[in-house]
Structure formats: structure tokens, C-alpha cells
Amino acid sequence: MTLISSRERARSSAGTGRTPGKLPGLATAAAGVALSWGVHWLVPAVPMLTMAVVLGIAAAHLPGARALVRGAGRPGLTLAGKRLMRVGVVLLGLKLSLDDVLGLGWATVVMVLVTVVATFFGTLWLGRRLGLRGDQPLLIATGYSICGASAIGAVSEVSGSDEEDVATSVALVTLCGTLAIAVLPLLHHPLGLDDAQFGRWVGAGVHDVGQVVATAQTAGPAALGEAVLVKLMRVALLAPLVAAVAVAVRRRRAYDAPPATAGGTPDAGAAEGKRPALVPLFVLGFLAMVVVRTTGWVPAAALDGAQHVQELLLAAALFGLGSAVHLPSLVRTGGRVAALGLCSWVVIAGVSYGGVLLTT
């Protein structure tokens, strides 16, 4: 899967004599969000965020919408995929209270940490062995180990990842998370898990928060409650992971920086990439929202409203990312990407299953 090339975009806007504004793309993203919400309302088992990615991919390939997505709508859709993703990640912090995390018990916290670390480094290593391009191994490892597309968007901001790598990673993680909604409930009783254990397994092994809810609710309220708490523990690890990636990127750029020219100025290529902040502003915002939620000062109505806004923003961002996927290019890297996704899925499901059995 690749993005629509910049050459195609240039051709689509040629003849207008000006760069398209952002309004057409933002309006297209808003329409995609409305359709995603409508599908979720009709079929609650289909998460809105998952549907947003699917509709974005469809819009990029349908004859009627393709010209808009590749041409006048591209700037606004790119803005949605980046800027709105940041705001959505900040509001994601309001779902997490430190009291809830500590209430899980240290054994569960350790289980989640082991699952995240094993999945992240195992996926990263395997992706590089498979020869995947650019930052795809890093982004896929992030999406599988933390919280799906939201984590991919957050890490891509500090790693400076190519949009093509971001779109491919989001599409893969969304596909596997969607499959989990159908597959994992079938394994509930054959694996000998009670409802609470099944919920913890789902929370530790499924990627996106909406997909966790859709999967766990099949086993009842006890499973759903455990799944959400364990999942939010994984979400809490987003901030340290982003900070670690920022440190790695700074060190890599410092190592690769060209020497100064005779006039004492660095070579032009060095100025292209700014050093990313050790903790980006939107991650600080995420942590601030966690603290705000922990204080208990925010009324329940305000938390519900913030959750709806966060889902709408992330849906718009994921629609924008999905619209950048180019399916005909799947034949070039699709096999290796699919192999990495399948192996990573086996790793996180296996490690989390073992962890659940050991801690309950």
C-alpha cells in the first residue's frame, strides 16, 4: 500500500494555477466521519474508527471520489491526518486515571509491560529482517504494542515518518484489529478463560480502544470492564514510548549531521530536519489530561463530551490517513507487511494469554 504520489497530486491540480485550499479535504473528512458514525449506529459491533479507515481507503479508489481525494482534497485530508490526530491523542488522556491503573495490581501491570515490550521489540526486529522500507517496522511495532492507529500517529510525529509508511501501518493494524473482533470471541471458551480473564486478554492483545470494546463486550460487562482497564494501562505507555523515539531520532540526526561548511554553517541538508522535542507538546497535553482525570474534578458529563469529541477527531484523522492508501501498490510489499502483521499478532496474543494465566 502506498500513498498517492506527489506527481499525481501535481497533475491533478495542474491547470488551476494555484494550490488547493484545505477546506475541500476537511469537508470530505467530515463527511467520512458522519458516514462512519452512521454505520456504527446501525451496527454497534463495528467501531467508528475502524469504519473511518475503511471509508478513507474506499474514497481513494472509488471513481467519483478519487479525483477529489487525490487533488483538491489532499491538503485538507493531510491536515486531518496529522493535526487532528494530535488533538485526539491529547483528549485520549482523559480516559485514563492513575488510580484505575494502580487498582489493577502490580502483577497485571508487570504482565502488560512484558507484553508491550515483547511485542514492540519482536515486531521491530522481524520487520527489519523482512526488509520493510523506511519506518514501517517502527510504526507497526508501535501500533501493535500500544494502541493502534493513535500510537502510530503519535510516534510518526516525532520520527518524521513518510506518509506512505504511516498509511500502510495504519491500514495493517486496523485490518488485524478488525479481524480480532470476529476471531477472539471464538477462542474464549476453547482456551479455558473465564469472562474476567477473557477481558484482560482482549485488553492486553487488541490494538485500538474501540476494537477492544467491540471484542470484549461479547463476554459481558465483567469482561468489558477488565478489558478497558488493561487497555488503558497500555495507552499510558504511549508517552514514554514517544519520548524514547524522540531521543533516538535526536541521536541519529546528531550522528548523521554533515560537518559545517567553510563559512561555519552546517550543510543545507542538515537544516532540513529539526531536532524533535524530547517530549512533544501533544504528549505533554496527553499527560496533563491524565492528571486532570486523576484529580476527579472533571464532571462525568464533561468527560463524556470530551470522549465524543476525541472519537470524532480521531475518526477524521484516520479517514485522512486511509484516503492516502493506494491498494494497487500492495503487490510490491503487501506479502512482507502481511507476514509481519500475522507474526506480531501471534506474539501479542500468545504473550498476553500466558500473562493472563499467570496473574489470575
Side-chain angles (χ1 to χ4, degrees):
M1 301 174 201
T2 65
L3 288 181
I4 298 140
S5 69
S6 56
R7 188 175 300 170
E8 286 181 88
R9 294 179 206 162
R11 280 201 302 264
S12 63
S13 57
T16 64
R18 60 186 177 83
T19 304
K22 297 180 173 62
L23 186 56
L26 291 175
T28 304
V33 171
L35 286 173
S36 302
W37 178 85
V39 172
H40 174 65
W41 182 75
L42 291 171
V43 188
V46 177
M48 185 172 71
L49 300 187
T50 299
M51 199 65 221
V53 177
V54 172
L55 289 176
I57 295 173
H61 296 84
L62 290 174
R66 184 169 53 203
L68 173 62
V69 167
R70 297 187 182 187
R74 193 72 251 150
L77 289 169
T78 299
L79 175 69
K82 291 187 175 181
R83 304 297 180 183
L84 298 187
M85 177 68 79
R86 293 181 186 179
V87 182
V89 169
V90 170
L91 293 178
L92 188 62
L94 285 175
K95 289 187 173 182
L96 181 64
S97 166
L98 294 178
D99 294 333
D100 291 338
V101 172
L102 295 177
L104 290 172
W106 288 109
T108 301
V109 171
V110 170
M111 180 270 288
V112 172
L113 286 171
V114 170
T115 300
V116 168
V117 169
T119 304
F120 180 81
F121 286 104
T123 303
L124 187 62
W125 174 82
L126 182 58
R128 288 173 175 167
R129 289 296 297 258
L130 289 171
L132 294 186
R133 51 156 285 165
D135 285 338
Q136 285 180 2
L138 170 65
L139 297 175
I140 293 171
T142 300
Y144 270 81
S145 59
I146 303 293
C147 56
S150 303
I152 291 173
V155 167
S156 69
E157 290 292 330
V158 298
S159 63
S161 303
D162 185 81
E163 279 187 290
E164 178 178 349
D165 294 338
V166 177
T168 300
S169 304
V170 166
L172 176 68
V173 170
T174 301
L175 173 62
C176 289
T178 303
L179 291 175
I181 297 173
V183 173
L184 296 194
L186 300 177
L187 301 176
H188 178 183
H189 297 296
L191 290 179
L193 299 173
D194 61 30
D195 291 348
Q197 288 176 320
F198 177 73
R200 292 191 171 210
W201 184 47
V202 170
V206 179
H207 320 312
D208 181 79
V209 176
Q211 294 164 345
V212 166
V213 171
T215 307
Q217 68 184 2
T218 61
L224 181 58
E226 293 290 329
V228 171
L229 285 177
V230 172
K231 177 61 188 175
L232 291 179
M233 173 61 201
R234 286 169 63 194
V235 173
L237 298 176
L238 177 62
L241 177 62
V242 171
V245 171
V247 170
V249 170
R250 284 167 66 102
R251 288 179 177 173
R252 184 183 66 197
R253 289 180 181 172
Y255 180 80
D256 295 340
T261 60
T265 348
D267 192 53
E272 289 180 3
K274 292 175 163 183
R275 296 174 69 189
L278 285 179
V279 183
L281 186 60
F282 71 93
V283 174
L284 290 175
F286 170 85
L287 293 173
M289 292 300 102
V290 173
V291 173
V292 169
R293 174 63 187 269
T294 303
T295 63
W297 296 341
V298 185
L303 290 175
D304 289 340
Q307 178 176 341
H308 291 313
V309 173
Q310 176 245 330
E311 289 178 350
L312 293 174
L313 290 172
L314 288 182
L318 293 178
F319 182 90
L321 290 174
S323 70
V325 174
H326 192 215
L327 291 178
S329 303
L330 180 63
V331 292
R332 290 204 296 267
T333 58
R336 287 176 292 159
V337 169
L340 177 60
L342 179 60
C343 292
S344 184
W345 197 11
V346 170
V347 169
I348 193 169
V351 173
S352 58
Y353 175 69
V356 167
L357 293 182
L358 289 174
T359 56
T360 56

